[in-house]
């Protein structure tokens, strides 16, 4: 398959393994909730996950991430993590809500050498608990403390919403004494529970996002040694691009869809064994590792091919984007979000404000 924008690797280089659908929290914006309800097959057994890990090693996967649900609800979680550590993948990562992290588990992670840990926190106690459930902030903060005390300084994941983004400075002030060194951001996706309230809770692209970025700049200036990743927003920047910059970008030629690595060099494997491009493109099941080899799925799946073919579609071929002044340097935004709202992979990203304007 000849692709213009994204090279498809011979096998997946980066994988996210969704070890379980179970979760002990009840996040109001959870994008996985709807998919977890639909996926009724039993979860992969310990042996099935271990066989998959061996296959990933044979395929020379570079990065393997573990998540859920909440992965530490699995009783066999350290059997799986121990096997992964023994296979010596270049990079192992885990994502957790942190509520089940105790001193024993933190010690075990350290012993295995798994130190790339991301913990989700969505504000100070009042805001975090309002989004994830009463008492969850205290449990997560204790989990973070256990990790730090055992020599693992976790990355903090923050999901900016209209209700909590102004609390980011308060959260950093709470975490900084613990030695936190990295702050990153989750995307808000209009799937699962979030599909019911996406328009109400997402940030305003041209107002809230500017304010949020100003806050992040202040945090960077205030806390030396804290790495603050750029949030996953791009559209708010477009009005600031100068005429000269726009002309320079336009000379590079057309921009094409599919800006991320999903289906090109990365994929997810669900708790029941389905291979999907990413956690949001759940309708594009490439195949199941229970009855098909991962490499065969990766190379021959029609569903993955559909996602890859987006790289042959220019941004200005999207009807709503065709006349937009910014399509010379926009690659269309998140295709999963477009599909979630419009059931069309070539629809506009719902977060983008410009396709709704009469002059675009």
């Amino acid at each position: 398959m000849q692709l213009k924008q994204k090279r498809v690797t011979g096998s997946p280089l980066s994988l996210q393994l969704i070890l379980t659908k179970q979760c002990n929290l009840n996040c109001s914006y959870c994008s996985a909730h709807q998919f977890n309800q639909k996926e009724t097959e039993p979860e992969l057994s310990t042996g099935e996950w271990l066989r998959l890990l061996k296959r990933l090693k044979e395929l020379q996967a570079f990065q393997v991430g573990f998540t859920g649900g909440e992965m530490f609800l699995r009783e066999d979680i350290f059997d799986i993590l121990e096997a992964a550590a023994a296979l010596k993948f270049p990079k192992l990562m885990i994502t957790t809500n942190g509520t089940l992290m105790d001193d024993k588990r933190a010690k075990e992670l350290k012993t295995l050498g798994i130190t790339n840990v991301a913990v989700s926190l969505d504000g100070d106690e009042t805001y975090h608990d309002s989004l994830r459930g009463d008492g969850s902030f205290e449990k997560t903060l204790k989990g973070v403390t256990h990790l730090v005390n055992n020599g693992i300084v976790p990355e903090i994941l923050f999901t900016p919403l209209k209700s909590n983004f102004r609390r980011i400075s308060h959260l950093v002030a709470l975490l900084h004494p613990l030695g936190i060194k990295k702050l990153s951001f989750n995307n808000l996706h209009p799937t699962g529970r979030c599909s019911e309230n996406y328009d109400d809770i997402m940030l305003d692209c041209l107002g809230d996002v500017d304010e949020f970025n100003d806050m992040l700049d202040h945090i960077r200036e205030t806390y030396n040694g804290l790495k603050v990743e750029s949030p996953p927003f791009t559209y708010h920047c477009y009005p600031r691009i100068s005429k000269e910059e726009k002309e320079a970008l336009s000379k590079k030629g057309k921009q094409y869809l599919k800006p991320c690595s999903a289906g090109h060099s990365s994929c997810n494997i669900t708790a029941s064994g389905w291979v999907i491009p990413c956690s949001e493109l759940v309708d594009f099941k490439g195949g199941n590792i229970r009855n098909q080899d991962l490499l065969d799925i990766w190379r021959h799946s029609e569903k993955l091919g559909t996602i890859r073919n987006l790289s042959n579609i220019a941004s200005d071929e999207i009807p709503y984007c065709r006349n937009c002044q910014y399509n010379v340097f926009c690659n269309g935004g998140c295709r999963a979000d477009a599909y979630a709202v419009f059931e069309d992979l070539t629809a506009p990203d719902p977060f983008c404000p410009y396709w709704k304007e009469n002059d675009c």
Side-chain angles (χ1 to χ4, degrees):
M1 182 184 298
Q2 188 69 30
L3 297 178
K4 297 178 180 178
Q5 295 296 300
K6 289 282 184 179
R7 183 175 66 88
V8 179
T9 56
S11 59
L13 299 180
S14 175
L15 298 99
Q16 187 85 327
L17 309 186
I18 304 171
L19 295 180
T20 182
K21 298 176 288 185
Q22 302 175 71
C23 191
N24 58 333
L25 297 185
N26 190 34
C27 302
S28 60
Y29 59 85
C30 178
S31 62
H33 178 71
Q34 187 175 10
F35 176 57
N36 288 343
Q37 287 185 320
K38 290 181 179 178
E39 189 168 313
T40 57
E41 302 96 332
E43 295 184 353
L44 297 179
S45 66
T46 308
E48 287 173 316
W49 280 120
L50 298 189
R51 285 192 291 275
L52 173 63
L53 287 170
K54 289 180 181 179
R55 184 63 175 132
L56 295 183
K57 185 63 177 180
E58 293 172 354
L59 296 177
Q60 299 182 318
F62 179 82
Q63 177 175 299
V64 179
F66 300 95
T67 187
E70 173 47 51
M71 55 182 282
F72 285 101
L73 285 170
R74 283 193 70 117
E75 294 182 359
D76 61 354
I77 183 60
F78 278 97
D79 295 327
I80 295 171
L81 294 179
E82 183 177 355
L87 289 168
K88 299 187 183 301
F89 291 97
K91 189 171 184 179
L92 290 176
M93 303 178 66
I94 67 173
T95 302
T96 172
N97 62 39
T99 59
L100 302 177
M101 184 58 58
D102 55 20
D103 186 66
K104 180 182 177 182
R105 286 175 171 149
K107 276 186 170 65
E108 288 185 77
L109 289 176
K110 182 66 173 180
T111 300
L112 292 175
I114 301 177
T115 57
N116 289 307
V117 180
V119 177
S120 300
L121 271 169
D122 290 328
D124 49 21
E125 186 168 7
T126 300
Y127 284 82
H128 182 87
D129 283 4
S130 70
L131 295 168
R132 290 178 173 256
D134 291 343
S136 58
F137 179 84
E138 183 179 357
K139 293 176 183 177
T140 297
L141 195 60
K142 285 181 179 178
V144 170
T145 303
H146 285 305
L147 288 167
V148 171
N149 288 344
N150 283 281
I152 299 174
V153 181
E155 169 186 354
I156 299 300
L157 292 175
F158 180 87
T159 303
L161 313 173
K162 187 174 285 292
S163 63
N164 75 338
F165 79 92
R166 292 187 178 91
R167 308 303 294 178
I168 186 64
S169 297
H170 295 80
L171 177 61
V172 172
L174 284 170
L175 294 172
H176 187 254
L178 294 176
I180 297 303
K181 297 178 181 178
K182 187 175 181 181
L183 177 65
S184 300
F185 303 95
N186 282 322
N187 268 324
L188 184 68
H189 296 288
T191 56
R193 291 195 189 101
C194 189
S195 64
E196 302 167 4
N197 55 11
Y198 179 74
D199 289 340
D200 296 326
I201 66 176
M202 70 175 182
L203 272 61
D204 173 64
C205 181
L206 300 181
D208 296 341
V209 173
D210 278 338
E211 184 179 350
F212 187 58
N213 276 289
D214 288 342
M215 292 177 181
L216 297 183
D217 286 340
H218 179 71
I219 289 171
R220 292 184 182 101
E221 294 170 0
T222 304
Y223 298 96
N224 291 328
L226 176 64
K227 182 178 181 181
V228 181
E229 295 285 340
S230 296
F233 311 124
T234 54
Y235 300 122
H236 75 291
C237 297
Y238 293 164
R240 298 192 188 89
I241 295 179
S242 68
K243 180 180 179 181
E244 291 75 19
E245 289 174 314
K246 182 177 178 181
E247 289 176 351
L249 287 165
S250 66
K251 291 178 181 177
K252 293 183 178 181
K254 289 187 175 185
Q255 296 296 308
Y256 290 81
L257 300 185
K258 203 69 198 74
C260 72
S261 63
H264 291 79
S265 61
S266 66
C267 66
N268 286 23
I269 297 180
T270 75
S272 300
W274 292 100
V275 179
I276 56 177
C278 74
S279 59
E280 307 308 318
L281 287 169
V282 297
D283 288 340
F284 293 83
K285 296 178 179 178
N288 196 296
I289 62 165
R290 279 186 163 129
N291 50 40
Q292 194 175 359
D293 182 65
L294 175 60
L295 187 60
D296 183 48
I297 297 171
W298 180 257
R299 292 184 174 178
H300 304 296
S301 164
E302 290 185 9
K303 292 290 188 179
L304 293 181
T306 298
I307 301 302
R308 291 164 182 167
N309 279 333
L310 293 172
S311 293
N312 292 318
I313 301 174
S315 297
D316 62 7
E317 293 178 36
I318 296 178
Y320 283 102
C321 305
R322 185 170 295 137
N323 297 319
C324 180
Q325 60 181 315
Y326 303 120
N327 65 31
V328 293
F329 43 83
C330 174
N331 53 17
C334 181
R335 296 297 87 212
D337 289 354
Y339 185 82
V341 172
F342 301 104
E343 297 185 351
D344 181 356
L345 286 169
T346 61
D349 186 327
F351 184 67
C352 173
Y354 303 114
W355 64 271
K356 299 176 183 178
E357 297 178 359
N358 292 328
D359 60 342
C360 286

